[in-house]
């Protein structure tokens, strides 16, 4: 309970720090989230339009195997205004670094209980949430989650999220999300997308 409360406070503080005007910087435009490559493994399987939970597959009883990641975030414009009605699509590897894509040459078995994609729509406050797994890396790339932002059916940003642990003091980066450990085997993070 204590962990949930403390981590909830941290996430709320992060959210407010992203959304509220900053003293002395109110007139400065936010830097846009950079484009990053779509890569060759954009999902080709049929899928529902909206599904926030990658740890469950419809019609199956078991949950995906791996460390849980609660991926929260917000979409804002360069003036910091929340962008509602944006579709966020994500796709990623499982913890073994394997995609659900016929072109992925990685060895190993795909986890049938992991849904390798997700999609959500932002609400009036621009926020979104996915329940997923910490992705595994694959050579030569670090672990990452691919995403697209769509408005009115058109992709307006394609990019990737990278991760670092909270104890890592390397400088912040527009594409790096900080992992806060919630419980054993469970992490959460907050990622801002600026369009
Ligand atoms: Fe990738």
């Amino acid at each position: 309970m204590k962990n949930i409360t403390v981590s909830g406070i941290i996430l709320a503080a992060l959210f407010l720090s992203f959304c509220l005007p900053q003293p002395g910087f109110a007139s400065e435009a936010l830097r846009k989230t950079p484009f990053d490559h779509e890569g060759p493994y954009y999902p080709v399987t049929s899928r529902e339009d909206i599904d926030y939970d990658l740890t469950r597959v419809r019609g199956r009883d078991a949950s995906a195997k791996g460390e849980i990641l609660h991926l929260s975030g917000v979409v804002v414009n360069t003036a910091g205004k929340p962008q509602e009605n944006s579709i966020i699509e994500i796709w990623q590897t499982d913890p073994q670094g394997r995609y659900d894509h016929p072109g992925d040459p990685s060895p190993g078995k795909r986890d049938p209980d992991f849904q390798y994609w997700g999609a959500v729509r932002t609400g009036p406050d621009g926020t979104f949430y996915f329940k997923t797994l910490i992705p595994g890396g694959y050579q030569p790339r670090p672990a990452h989650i691919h995403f697209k932002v769509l408005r009115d059916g058109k992709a307006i940003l394609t990019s990737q999220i990278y991760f670092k642990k909270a104890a890592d003091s390397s400088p912040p980066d527009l594409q790096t999300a900080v992992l806060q450990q919630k419980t054993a085997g469970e992490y959460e993070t907050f990622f801002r997308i600026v369009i």
Side-chain angles (χ1 to χ4, degrees), residues 1 6 22-23 41 48 62 71-72 79 88 92 94 107 111-112 117 130 136 142 149 155 157 159 169 176-177:
M1 187 66 189
V6 170
Q22 301 299 304
Y41 305 127
E48 304 296 323
L71 171 60
S72 302
I88 315 297
Q92 64 172 94
D94 59 29
D111 181 353
W117 63 271
F130 291 101
V149 181
L157 174 65
S159 191
S169 61
T176 301

Side-chain angles (χ1 to χ4, degrees), residues 1 6 20 26 30 34 38 44 49 55 57 75 84 133 136 140 157 160 162 164 167 171 177 180 191:
M1 187 66 189
V6 170
L20 294 176
L30 298 172
E38 178 176 306
V44 295
D49 286 337
T55 67
V57 172
V75 181
E84 71 173 311
L133 298 181
L157 174 65
Q160 301 178 35
Y162 303 92
K164 69 172 188 170
Q180 308 275 353
F191 186 71

Side-chain angles (χ1 to χ4, degrees), residues 38-41 91 93 99 138 141 144 146 160:
E38 178 176 306
Y41 305 127
W91 69 101
T93 68
Y99 285 97
Y138 54 92
R141 307 221 51 222
H144 58 278
H146 294 266
Q160 301 178 35

Side-chain angles (χ1 to χ4, degrees), residues 11-22 30 73-77 79-83 125-127 190 192:
L11 280 182
L14 281 169
F15 176 73
L16 286 172
S17 71
F18 285 136
C19 292
L20 294 176
Q22 301 299 304
L30 298 172
V74 66
V75 181
V76 297
N77 65 12
K81 183 169 182 253
Q83 301 294 291
D125 59 359
T127 58
F190 188 92
R192 183 180 66 179

Side-chain angles (χ1 to χ4, degrees), residues 37-170:
H37 298 281
E38 178 176 306
Y41 305 127
Y42 183 77
V44 295
T45 50
S46 63
R47 52 192 192 274
E48 304 296 323
D49 286 337
I50 296 293
D51 190 342
Y52 76 94
D53 189 354
L54 286 75
T55 67
R56 302 297 297 265
V57 172
R58 187 165 296 181
R60 295 187 64 89
D61 292 333
S63 295
K65 289 162 275 303
E67 293 180 307
I68 300 288
L69 172 60
H70 299 279
L71 171 60
S72 302
V74 66
V75 181
V76 297
N77 65 12
T78 55
K81 183 169 182 253
Q83 301 294 291
E84 71 173 311
N85 257 336
S86 304
I87 300 287
I88 315 297
E89 291 184 346
I90 65 172
W91 69 101
Q92 64 172 94
T93 68
D94 59 29
Q96 284 70 49
R98 183 178 172 82
Y99 285 97
D100 180 20
H101 192 284
D104 184 0
S106 312
K109 192 171 173 292
R110 198 176 59 79
D111 181 353
D113 298 314
F114 185 49
Q115 180 174 276
Y116 291 72
W117 63 271
V120 295
R121 184 188 297 274
T122 58
D125 59 359
T127 58
F128 62 87
Y129 167 71
F130 291 101
K131 183 179 182 184
T132 186
L133 298 181
I134 300 280
Y138 54 92
Q139 291 301 323
R141 307 221 51 222
H144 58 278
I145 291 179
H146 294 266
F147 72 92
K148 285 180 187 280
V149 181
L150 298 99
R151 301 291 300 272
D152 302 321
K154 277 180 26 185
I156 57 170
L157 174 65
T158 300
S159 191
Q160 301 178 35
I161 305 171
Y162 303 92
F163 301 96
K164 69 172 188 170
K165 296 276 177 70
D168 180 346
S169 61
S170 57

